[in-house]
Amino acid sequence: EKNLLAPVQKCTDFGTAYSTTLFRWAVSLVLSRSFEVTLGDEKVLVIIPLVDFLNHKPFSSCTSSVTFDEEAREFRVMAREASDDGFEVFITYGPKSNADLLVCYGF
């Protein structure tokens, strides 16, 4: 598993315009709102507008998947199962402990 905080841990001097605190804050914003998607042969983190508004619910039958359609050049959020109108569709961050969810996503 990649250490996504490695760049933060290596940076110690940002001059006068930036601070380590601001850099860590910016990185936490990206990491808490990004999704891992496979593009070609590589897994990358992406931020997709509005997708981070979906609620997390592990092991739900109404979860969705985030994929990239290379031919259409678009991201897609697809429900894994059909549901009735008005039912909420969730995302899942995968099998994570409560501690991981708190540290990575703030809840």
Side-chain angles (χ1 to χ4, degrees), residues 4-12 14 20 23-24 27-28 31:
L4 298 175
L5 295 177
V8 176
Q9 295 163 342
K10 291 180 183 177
C11 296
T12 58
F14 294 97
T20 303
F23 181 75
R24 289 180 184 199
V27 169
S28 71
L31 294 180

Side-chain angles (χ1 to χ4, degrees), residues 11-65:
C11 296
T12 58
D13 182 25
F14 294 97
T16 58
Y18 303 99
S19 68
T20 303
T21 301
L22 285 175
F23 181 75
R24 289 180 184 199
W25 170 79
V27 169
S28 71
L29 285 179
V30 170
L31 294 180
S32 67
R33 288 163 176 78
S34 60
F35 297 87
E36 186 174 77
V37 176
T38 301
L39 297 177
D41 296 335
E42 186 178 2
K43 288 187 177 187
V44 297
L45 291 178
V46 296
I47 295 177
I48 306 168
L50 303 176
V51 174
D52 65 326
F53 288 144
L54 296 173
N55 286 319
H56 163 75
K57 187 172 186 180
F59 315 114
S60 169
S61 62
C62 295
T63 57
S64 59
S65 62

Side-chain angles (χ1 to χ4, degrees), residues 71-91:
E71 187 176 311
R73 308 277 310 147
E74 65 187 16
F75 289 98
R76 294 186 178 166
V77 179
M78 304 287 292
R80 294 179 192 226
E81 293 183 9
S83 62
D84 295 328
D85 289 347
F87 278 86
E88 183 174 4
V89 174
F90 297 93
I91 56 173

